[in-house]
Amino acid sequence: MSTPQLPKVAGNDPSIPSPAHTAATAAPGALIQDRLAGWVSDLTTLHELTERLVRTGTLTDALHELLRAGAALVGARRGLVVLEPADGLGPTDTVGLGLAHADLGHIETVPRSATSYGRILEGLPDAAAVAVPDLLSDTELDPRHREVAARLGYAASYALPLTAEIFGRIGAAVWLYDEPAEPTERQRHLVGLYARYAGEHLTRLLELERARTKVATVAEELLPSRLPRVSGVQLAARHRTGPRGGGDWYDALALPEGALGLAVGSVTGSGPSALAAMGRLRASLRAYAVMEGEDPVAVLSDLELLMRLTEPARAATALFAYCEPAQRKIVLAGAGHTPPLVIGERRCEFIETSLSAPLGMLACWEAPSVEFSPQPGETVLLSTDGLLHRTGEPMDRAYARLHAAAASVPPGLLDDPGAIADHVLHTVLPDGLDAVDSAEDVVILAARFA
């Protein structure tokens, strides 16, 4: 009986034992697998970090996230980022990680040219990325820099420029090590990739911030630069503009015979066109108030007629009050607007205006006026719907919140209309909700009668 033969494979003789070195040929394959696993891990890390970054909606939040992610990538514990666009148009900011405000102040006392981030911001040719692995042993280090480093307890730094295609250089980030150290080549590669993406994201936020600043500037220019002084009345106003620029406005103007006109309103829409419409309506209302302010219904009727002729695609809410401080008498009319509140020691209540549609919604607006008399020391609080909408609650609950906020004004603040406006604003919109990005403007106008 013949011995069975093993099957052959092309190019190999199975009857010949493998050489001893064949087992070692698996090493390159394992090395490649390890390298691929490392790349996958790095890509996953970058994806997670950039996802966190893209969720930030403000420059400050993005700068904080940039510092946290960069510190994790280079193995540092502290750092700072300086936002300083090369075109000089701002905004500028300095944010720290693990550094108190006083620590940042100490660092800023070092001559800028002696710091790694300063070399980047000044555009020195060797400042693409600046690593200082041992600050205290660097013989060329500025003495003041050495003193600050010793005081704050950092011994090494690694800095990167923040750039973008549109603006070029927009800032610099530097991470600080507690001991002499520097990032590995792999760490430098990863943080470099992250910084390039962060630069583009910061650019988008920078453009948005500049647009918001322009919108806020235009909105403020369209509103009263100062409130008038009228005997028997103290006035205060608070205004928050949404990021796209809404159409909310307020006004207070001295009228003949010691009278005072108070107005708040809101134009539909947002952006430059809404701001322009708001400016036109506010100017028109001022003119009508001077001519026939003692009849608020006539003022709003004329404004509604003007809107139908010049702003046919828009609607607006408005409230106008004609005040005679000497007699403590107020006559007001509202067009689809939030009614005013009367706040005093003995009462806190809405002054109910008759139900009416906003201006521009019907073929002809008409509603009766309301007359009331504030008592000495009482404050009349006018506001726009944005204050209610920013709460995110149904309107009935938002109204209840507004009333509760007004009723909770401490007795010691009742003689200061500005303090009343602030209390109501921050109580209705707590935890910074009055300052967050919102499509809604907020206007509060407070008038305290002696």
Side-chain angles (χ1 to χ4, degrees), residues 223-286:
L223 295 174
S225 58
R226 62 181 180 85
L227 296 172
R229 293 185 177 181
V230 177
S231 178
V233 182
Q234 294 174 272
L235 297 173
R238 300 293 183 264
H239 181 225
R240 301 289 187 272
T241 302
R244 294 185 295 276
D248 287 17
W249 86 87
Y250 68 92
D251 208 347
L253 63 156
L255 298 174
E257 300 180 0
L260 172 69
L262 300 176
V264 290
S266 177
V267 175
T268 57
S270 61
S273 62
L275 287 174
M278 177 265 281
R280 291 190 291 268
L281 289 182
R282 174 179 169 265
S284 300
L285 187 143
R286 288 176 68 90

Side-chain angles (χ1 to χ4, degrees), residues 152-364:
L152 299 184
Y154 63 89
S157 66
Y158 182 70
L160 277 178
L162 299 174
T163 60
E165 184 176 350
I166 297 177
F167 294 106
R169 190 207 71 229
I170 59 174
V174 55
W175 291 276
L176 307 174
Y177 296 88
D178 296 342
E179 303 292 339
E182 62 179 313
T184 64
E185 183 179 351
R186 172 173 166 269
Q187 289 174 322
R188 294 185 189 214
H189 178 67
L190 287 176
V191 76
L193 292 174
Y194 180 81
R196 284 198 290 274
Y197 180 84
E200 297 301 327
H201 180 66
L202 288 171
T203 297
R204 291 189 288 271
L205 295 177
L206 187 63
E207 290 180 312
L208 183 59
E209 184 65 26
R210 288 182 176 181
R212 290 171 181 168
T213 301
K214 290 178 182 178
V215 165
T217 301
V218 172
E220 292 300 326
E221 290 295 325
L222 291 174
L223 295 174
S225 58
R226 62 181 180 85
L227 296 172
R229 293 185 177 181
V230 177
S231 178
V233 182
Q234 294 174 272
L235 297 173
R238 300 293 183 264
H239 181 225
R240 301 289 187 272
T241 302
R244 294 185 295 276
D248 287 17
W249 86 87
Y250 68 92
D251 208 347
L253 63 156
L255 298 174
E257 300 180 0
L260 172 69
L262 300 176
V264 290
S266 177
V267 175
T268 57
S270 61
S273 62
L275 287 174
M278 177 265 281
R280 291 190 291 268
L281 289 182
R282 174 179 169 265
S284 300
L285 187 143
R286 288 176 68 90
Y288 297 144
V290 170
M291 292 186 295
E292 49 192 4
E294 68 279 0
D295 185 354
V297 171
V299 171
L300 294 186
S301 295
D302 289 344
L303 192 64
E304 197 272 342
L305 176 60
L306 178 73
M307 280 196 64
R308 285 197 285 120
L309 295 175
T310 63
E311 309 283 348
R314 291 192 184 276
T317 64
L319 188 147
F320 178 72
Y322 179 80
C323 310
E324 297 178 275
Q327 289 77 35
R328 288 198 302 279
K329 174 185 173 183
I330 297 178
V331 181
L332 66 88
H337 202 81
T338 305
L341 275 160
V342 177
I343 305 169
E345 292 183 355
R346 294 180 177 84
R347 65 170 172 168
C348 176
E349 60 188 27
F350 285 106
I351 301 301
E352 295 296 339
T353 57
S354 58
L355 185 64
S356 62
L359 304 175
M361 293 288 287
L362 302 178
C364 181

Side-chain angles (χ1 to χ4, degrees), residues 227 236-238 250-252 262-264 380-383 443-447:
L227 296 172
R238 300 293 183 264
Y250 68 92
D251 208 347
L262 300 176
V264 290
V380 178
L381 192 79
L382 289 72
S383 62
V443 163
I444 295 179
L445 179 61

Side-chain angles (χ1 to χ4, degrees), residues 8-93:
K8 291 186 177 182
V9 179
N12 293 316
D13 187 348
S15 64
I16 302 174
S18 299
H21 71 273
T22 303
T25 60
L31 181 62
I32 292 174
Q33 288 182 347
D34 289 344
R35 186 170 297 177
L36 287 174
W39 288 342
V40 170
S41 175
D42 290 344
L43 290 173
T44 301
T45 299
L46 281 176
H47 176 73
E48 292 175 352
L49 293 177
T50 52
E51 282 290 309
R52 289 170 55 180
L53 179 66
V54 79
R55 286 196 292 268
T56 59
T58 66
L59 276 172
T60 300
D61 290 344
L63 293 174
H64 280 293
E65 180 58 35
L66 164 68
L67 281 177
R68 286 192 291 267
L73 289 173
V74 302
R77 191 172 61 89
R78 293 180 289 174
L80 70 149
V81 58
V82 180
L83 182 70
E84 191 175 291
D87 59 10
L89 299 179
T92 61
D93 197 6

